[in-house]
Amino acid sequence: MAFVSIYTIGRLNHPYDHPASREFYEVGNKVFRQATGSGQLVEAFSSDGVPLPEEAKKGEGFPVLTLTVWKSLQSLYAFTYSGRHRQALRDRGRWMEPYQEKHLSYVVWWTDSVQDVSWDEAFKRYRYYLQHGATPFAFDFKQAFDERGESCIVK
């Protein structure tokens, strides 16, 4: 059984302890509880102590990274665009810097084992995606691939 991983990267407008950033984390905790309760989230990796990759150091804001593993591409997509997460995406401008040209907020890839997912792997997949665009190795929802590497549409 293959799993799907997603790495997200963003930059807060304000320092981590600013009231607006604290609101972001409060909402994030509610979103995480929804993800955990979905039964589809397999693993969430802490970013505490993770050395920031070069692409996370660009910009003026304060980096926020996430790395999670899900049971399926469809369950990840459904979670992303529904419930509390959907509302958080709509409110993103209150907390996060706008994306610079060529800065993409996430990358997705398939893995056969949760043990193969790591921050180093996430950074490698993200860099690959930035350089080569969507391929079965690293992709987004707009140009997705199934676990066999075939192009697919996620709804």
Side-chain angles (χ1 to χ4, degrees), residues 4-7 73 76 106-110 125 129 135-141 145:
V4 68
S5 302
I6 184 169
Y7 163 60
L73 185 59
L76 170 59
Y106 71 97
V107 66
V108 178
W109 70 96
W110 289 98
R125 301 280 180 149
Y129 180 75
T135 71
F137 186 76
F139 55 93
D140 59 25
F141 291 131
F145 294 84

Side-chain angles (χ1 to χ4, degrees), residues 6 8 31 34-35 38 68 70 72-90 92 105-106 108 141 154:
I6 184 169
T8 69
V31 168
Q34 180 186 0
S38 73
T68 54
W70 294 77
S72 71
L73 185 59
Q74 186 59 44
S75 65
L76 170 59
Y77 183 85
F79 169 77
T80 301
Y81 296 108
S82 67
R84 292 184 188 274
H85 193 270
R86 180 180 181 172
Q87 186 60 48
L89 288 174
R90 287 182 184 153
R92 171 177 41 206
S105 62
Y106 71 97
V108 178
F141 291 131
V154 187

Side-chain angles (χ1 to χ4, degrees), residues 1-150:
M1 172 183 191
F3 301 99
V4 68
S5 302
I6 184 169
Y7 163 60
T8 69
I9 181 171
R11 300 185 73 76
L12 292 169
N13 288 319
H14 303 284
Y16 300 112
D17 61 350
H18 186 277
S21 298
R22 286 197 303 268
E23 178 190 23
F24 166 80
Y25 284 109
E26 288 170 12
V27 169
N29 286 333
K30 292 175 184 173
V31 168
F32 184 71
R33 283 196 298 278
Q34 180 186 0
T36 303
S38 73
Q40 299 299 307
L41 178 67
V42 175
E43 185 76 43
F45 293 80
S46 172
S47 62
D48 291 345
V50 173
L52 293 176
E54 285 306 311
E55 58 271 7
K57 295 176 184 176
K58 296 176 183 171
E60 296 181 22
F62 301 83
V64 176
L65 312 175
T66 68
L67 177 57
T68 54
V69 180
W70 294 77
K71 288 184 178 179
S72 71
L73 185 59
Q74 186 59 44
S75 65
L76 170 59
Y77 183 85
F79 169 77
T80 301
Y81 296 108
S82 67
R84 292 184 188 274
H85 193 270
R86 180 180 181 172
Q87 186 60 48
L89 288 174
R90 287 182 184 153
D91 295 339
R92 171 177 41 206
R94 292 184 4 213
W95 309 303
M96 307 296 279
E97 274 186 356
Y99 297 121
Q100 301 169 359
E101 186 179 334
K102 290 285 188 183
H103 173 87
L104 304 167
S105 62
Y106 71 97
V107 66
V108 178
W109 70 96
W110 289 98
T111 186
D112 290 326
S113 171
V114 175
Q115 288 76 20
D116 293 336
V117 179
S118 68
W119 286 104
D120 286 339
E121 184 67 17
F123 301 152
K124 179 173 87 173
R125 301 280 180 149
Y126 185 78
R127 286 184 198 112
Y128 178 93
Y129 180 75
L130 290 177
Q131 292 174 355
H132 304 284
T135 71
F137 186 76
F139 55 93
D140 59 25
F141 291 131
K142 292 176 186 168
Q143 292 182 285
F145 294 84
D146 66 20
E147 58 191 279
R148 296 178 311 277
E150 301 291 325

